[in-house]
Amino acid sequence: MRFEASLDVIQPYGRRFITNDGHLVTLSSELEKECERSGLSPSMLSEIIVDFFQTKSKISSSYVVPLKGSSPSCILTNVIDLWITDASMSSHVIMTITVNGESGEVRFVYPQFFAELAKSILSNNMKYACNKIVMSFPYMFVIFDTFNAFKKVYSNVIEGIVNMEGSNYMFSRTEMRSLIWKVDTPKVDYISNELIPEKMRTLIEGDYY
């Protein structure tokens, strides 16, 4: 699945939006559906895309009010691999949408700087017991950059891989929090150790390789 957007270029695909500054933004149907699933207004995303291109920053962040007012049990960060085309070039960026009840944050980053964004996500969300980072498929650089960021945010980190019920899990843990990835799946759990299932907690506190 390819998520696409364009700025001031007429495209044969997707839905078109005119921003407050008069720019034409087109979102592919896949991107529009992903926004709606995350509770982000597609028209608001169009404004954010224009701001990102105008600021020319390697990382940008915009706070939004999600369409959905429910409070999820976990803070959810959705990672989207996005191609944005303007009149001169096509740019590959990573977009993240973090929803926390009645507030949300949309970030754009170029892939080579994702490690900095991962560190920011882990630092900002450490006060929440349950966080999930999800992707449409396993972006390996996202997963490994996030694990490397965990070691920069926390000290005395223990790492390993354990097998539970036929599946491998990679983990990094401290005394209070853990980062756990079920290998080959598109989700990473960033949670308080109290939320780890007892069998898993026994494994990661015991022998691992």
Side-chain angles (χ1 to χ4, degrees):
M1 184 180 297
R2 184 177 169 100
F3 299 102
E4 298 180 82
S6 69
L7 175 61
D8 293 329
V9 177
I10 296 177
Q11 299 284 14
Y13 63 77
R15 184 178 170 192
R16 298 171 184 173
F17 298 87
I18 301 296
T19 67
N20 293 334
D21 291 339
H23 292 280
L24 171 66
V25 176
T26 304
L27 307 181
S28 67
S29 58
E30 293 84 0
L31 179 58
E32 185 179 2
K33 290 175 184 175
E34 195 65 35
C35 289
E36 291 173 347
R37 275 194 292 268
S38 299
L40 174 64
S41 161
S43 61
M44 176 60 70
L45 175 60
S46 300
E47 300 285 350
I48 295 171
I49 287 174
V50 172
D51 290 343
F52 172 65
F53 263 71
Q54 288 179 339
T55 58
K56 300 184 183 301
S57 60
K58 62 182 182 180
I59 299 177
S60 74
S61 175
S62 301
Y63 289 93
V64 297
V65 178
L67 294 174
K68 300 172 184 176
S70 61
S71 298
S73 56
C74 280
I75 308 303
L76 181 67
T77 297
N78 196 7
V79 180
I80 298 170
D81 199 32
L82 178 63
W83 291 88
I84 305 178
T85 302
D86 65 3
S88 60
M89 62 184 295
S90 184
S91 301
H92 179 205
V93 301
I94 300 298
M95 179 175 77
T96 66
I97 306 173
T98 298
V99 178
N100 178 11
E102 296 183 352
S103 65
E105 185 174 5
V106 179
R107 303 176 181 92
F108 284 103
V109 62
Y110 291 101
Q112 62 267 36
F113 301 115
F114 185 82
E116 295 180 38
L117 178 57
K119 184 179 178 182
S120 174
I121 291 172
L122 297 182
S123 298
N124 293 345
N125 292 354
M126 64 170 56
K127 64 182 178 180
Y128 300 107
C130 183
N131 298 268
K132 293 183 184 295
I133 300 171
V134 299
M135 300 151 268
S136 55
F137 61 89
Y139 304 136
M140 301 309 293
F141 76 93
V142 168
I143 292 165
F144 291 116
D145 279 352
T146 302
F147 271 86
N148 287 332
F150 188 85
K151 290 185 289 186
K152 294 179 180 179
V153 173
Y154 296 97
S155 57
N156 301 319
V157 173
I158 297 173
E159 301 176 297
I161 298 176
V162 296
N163 183 282
M164 187 175 74
E165 299 175 350
S167 297
N168 288 325
Y169 294 80
M170 187 168 78
F171 71 87
S172 289
R173 72 173 178 88
T174 65
E175 230 178 88
M176 302 297 294
R177 304 187 66 81
S178 293
L179 195 67
I180 300 173
W181 174 52
K182 184 178 179 181
V183 175
D184 293 333
T185 64
K187 181 186 72 171
V188 177
D189 291 309
Y190 174 45
I191 55 178
S192 164
N193 290 346
E194 295 176 355
L195 296 181
I196 301 173
E198 184 176 351
K199 185 174 182 180
M200 171 68 71
R201 191 182 310 131
T202 300
L203 287 172
I204 70 174
E205 290 177 355
D207 294 332
Y208 52 88
Y209 60 90

